[in-house]
Amino acid sequence: MSVAPPASSRDRILVVVGDAALARWVVSLVEALRRSGAAAFLRIARSEGPRPSSALATLLGLEKMLVAGHRPSGADRIGPDELDKGLIEPADFRPDIVIDLNEGGERLPRATQLRPLYDGEPGETALASALFFRGTPRIAIERTAPDDDGGRIVAEGTASLEAASGIGGGIDAVASRVATLLLKALAGTGDGAPAAPAIPVRPIGSRDIAMRTAKDVARAAVRAAYRLCCHGSHWRVGWRFATPGDDVWTRRDLAGGRWNVLADPVDHFYADPFPLHWQGRDYLFFEDLDHKTGKGVISVVAFDEAGRPGPAVAALEEPWHLSYPFLIERGGEIFMIPESSANRDIALYRATGFPAQWRRHAVLVEGVEAADATIVEHDGLLYMFAVVRDGVGGYSDTLAIWWADDLFGPWRPHAGNPVLVDDRAARPAGNFVRRGGALYRPVQDCRRAYGGALGFMKVTRLDREGFAQAGEGTISGGGAWPGKRLHTLNYNGRLEAIDGFTLRPRFKPAADLVDRWYRPGS
């Protein structure tokens, strides 16, 4: 990841992997280590006896044909003859650090060992077993110094599988975060923590593969049929005027006053709502995505004196996708930071003709694929939170922070970046709030699906050197707000807004029928 701390240019690192487990992600790991400044090489250990990954290779091959459509993946097997010879360990190479990717390994003298663990067990078999039977595993990087009897955990995280397809996609997603955590471990200090108890590895058998493949084919057929008659992903915005004390942050549920649905066209969805009360009037900004193009713009509705929303008006459009219109006031002016990860920057826009005219004012952070930037002022500094990735893995599991003295920068990376790798607690879900003297942030819980639930996090430390938070529960759709997903919550003391996933037929008569049946409070 681009936000991971760099390894020292003095580090000599050897990555060891068995020939049966040699995959494209291993090569990507070595290349990432080199980009960080380390002298990194690869050693391919010969597997003795039956190849331990034969069942997995069979499964990955079937997935590639039936589910993944032959798309390339980090889990793809490669042969030693396909490697750039410059990656292979030279005969006279003496590593300081060995990254052991095998189930078991031989310790090299005078070298510190880093070993990824998946639910407490090392190696690709443990990773595949976790993905197959339990879902995304807990990743832990175990460090063992030359004179240590046992290892200590120096970095941990959980990868999001929201963009993964099958076990191969899961391996790719998890492996990308293994690389992030290894880089963090290389830059870190301290003794670490004892390893948690391991979950025993359950071998994947031929019967398991047959059952899994049949289910995957059936799911693919159902998804194809669904997309013939419905839009594949449709979000909608809910809003209500709520008095303090009857809002979601206070109640920690979606009950209270009735939610109103912001009417949307059949071929557009609305999401990521941000309310604003400005110069005596209420406004609601949100992502407006056209299903035909898959590209989002920022739209806005203005509320009249009776509290009724007017028509949606396009407020900001760029050649790239926009969403999550975070708003902030400075010096009597309104600024917006929309999500623009496709342009690889975090940019600030200034309202030149509020609410529907905006101009790109400044780039706060360059060269980063970042989503859902959210700013909070705390102890005299501004802190900007966003999830980041580098083209691989999920979009919701890796949290980075930048800090600044002023909105216009310069914005400096937090010393602990990435401060968190966690599919349940990393991705911002709206504005920070203060309650009872404490600072809170809503987060997207993506363990079961993208936007699967919304979590409440209490920030227990936030400064230039550290960050910590503690969970205080989650909420999801259903009952007061029908739908299985929920990923944005904002409240400005007057207007409260959320969003949610819903069924959306492609044809308006059917869509109207669903709207009448599938409405808040039903």
Side-chain angles (χ1 to χ4, degrees):
M1 295 297 300
S2 58
V3 297
S8 168
S9 59
R10 297 186 299 273
D11 285 340
R12 298 187 300 273
I13 302 175
L14 179 64
V15 178
V16 181
V17 66
D19 57 359
L22 181 58
R24 296 195 184 282
W25 79 265
V26 179
V27 176
S28 297
L29 170 61
V30 177
E31 293 170 343
L33 291 167
R34 289 185 170 188
R35 288 194 300 271
S36 76
F41 292 95
L42 178 65
R43 176 188 293 178
I44 304 171
R46 187 173 183 81
S47 301
E48 300 294 337
R51 297 176 71 83
S53 297
S54 58
L56 176 60
T58 299
L59 174 60
L60 294 177
L62 287 169
E63 281 187 354
K64 206 158 188 68
M65 287 189 299
L66 301 174
V67 179
H70 296 280
R71 292 186 297 273
S73 165
D76 292 344
R77 292 307 189 258
I78 55 176
D81 57 338
E82 299 177 66
L83 292 175
D84 180 339
K85 300 305 180 185
L87 295 175
I88 302 299
E89 170 194 19
D92 60 349
F93 186 60
R94 299 293 180 266
D96 306 305
I97 298 167
V98 174
I99 296 176
D100 185 2
L101 303 180
N102 294 317
E103 274 79 3
E106 181 178 344
R107 292 276 301 278
L108 293 184
R110 299 182 302 279
T112 295
Q113 176 181 275
L114 293 176
R115 188 169 66 154
L117 304 177
Y118 310 101
D119 287 340
E121 293 286 353
E124 185 186 53
T125 300
L127 170 56
S129 175
L131 289 167
F132 194 97
F133 294 110
R134 299 187 299 276
T136 188
R138 184 70 178 171
I139 307 165
I141 306 301
E142 179 189 64
R143 182 181 67 198
T144 306
D147 298 328
D148 290 346
D149 294 330
R152 307 280 288 182
I153 303 303
V154 292
E156 292 185 276
T158 309
S160 169
L161 302 183
E162 65 193 285
S165 176
I167 300 302
I171 290 175
D172 201 7
V174 173
S176 67
R177 301 306 174 254
V178 167
T180 299
L181 291 168
L182 281 167
L183 287 168
K184 190 173 179 69
L186 287 167
T189 59
D191 294 332
I199 299 176
V201 176
R202 177 180 170 185
I204 301 172
S206 57
R207 179 179 174 83
D208 298 317
I209 293 174
M211 294 178 64
R212 174 70 180 237
T213 302
K215 289 180 180 178
D216 285 345
V217 171
R219 289 192 192 101
V222 169
R223 284 195 295 268
Y226 174 83
R227 286 170 179 160
L228 283 175
C229 59
C230 295
H231 293 294
S233 176
H234 192 88
W235 292 79
R236 60 180 181 170
V237 164
W239 62 272
R240 66 186 180 187
F241 287 96
T243 57
D246 199 33
D247 58 290
V248 175
W249 271 105
T250 302
R251 299 179 58 94
R252 300 298 173 94
D253 62 37
L254 296 173
R258 184 181 180 88
W259 291 100
N260 303 286
V261 177
L262 190 64
D264 57 68
V266 172
D267 57 353
H268 284 228
F269 78 54
Y270 295 163
D272 294 342
F274 279 78
L276 178 70
H277 187 73
W278 183 246
Q279 296 180 343
R281 195 169 183 185
D282 290 294
Y283 300 87
L284 189 61
F285 290 81
F286 51 91
E287 173 193 357
D288 179 347
L289 184 137
D290 187 335
H291 282 300
K292 297 187 294 295
T293 64
K295 175 175 168 289
V297 303
I298 304 304
S299 289
V300 59
V301 297
F303 288 76
D304 64 19
E305 293 179 354
R308 295 170 300 202
V313 176
L316 178 61
E317 181 173 4
E318 292 281 20
W320 50 87
H321 172 80
L322 299 174
S323 62
Y324 199 85
F326 174 81
L327 301 164
I328 187 168
E329 184 269 335
R330 274 296 183 275
E333 293 189 286
I334 299 296
F335 295 87
M336 180 196 300
I337 305 176
E339 186 267 296
S340 56
S341 60
N343 199 46
R344 295 191 62 83
D345 65 17
I346 301 176
L348 182 74
Y349 291 77
R350 182 172 66 90
T352 56
F354 189 87
Q357 295 178 17
W358 299 79
R359 178 176 296 169
R360 192 173 171 92
H361 184 77
V363 174
L364 306 183
V365 182
E366 294 183 294
V368 61
E369 185 180 359
D372 300 353
T374 308
I375 293 176
V376 64
E377 188 168 0
H378 183 69
D379 288 344
L381 291 175
L382 294 173
Y383 292 91
M384 180 164 60
F385 288 60
V387 283
V388 295
R389 68 193 290 267
D390 204 7
V392 184
Y395 297 86
S396 304
D397 53 22
T398 305
L399 178 64
I401 301 175
W402 294 263
W403 63 271
D405 298 298
D406 184 82
L407 176 61
F408 307 112
W411 287 88
R412 301 171 177 87
H414 191 277
N417 277 349
V419 297
L420 189 65
V421 177
D422 191 332
D423 60 344
R424 292 184 179 182
R427 187 165 185 166
N431 284 304
F432 285 76
V433 302
R434 294 187 185 275
R435 297 292 168 98
L439 181 64
Y440 294 87
R441 61 184 292 257
V443 299
Q444 296 187 35
D445 182 338
C446 297
R447 178 61 55 93
R448 298 191 181 277
Y450 169 64
L454 188 143
F456 302 98
M457 290 289 164
K458 181 179 181 179
V459 177
T460 57
R461 179 183 178 183
L462 178 56
D463 54 52
R464 290 178 292 181
E465 304 297 325
F467 167 73
Q469 62 183 13
E472 294 192 354
T474 62
I475 56 172
S476 56
W481 180 247
K484 294 183 178 180
R485 304 186 198 175
L486 173 71
H487 71 14
T488 308
L489 168 64
N490 278 303
Y491 178 53
N492 64 359
R494 292 174 47 85
L495 183 58
E496 188 169 38
I498 56 176
D499 58 9
F501 185 90
T502 187
L503 178 72
R504 176 60 75 189
R506 292 179 180 273
F507 307 104
K508 193 173 188 309
D512 291 342
L513 181 63
V514 169
D515 283 346
R516 286 195 294 272
W517 165 68
Y518 200 54
R519 64 185 185 274
S522 61

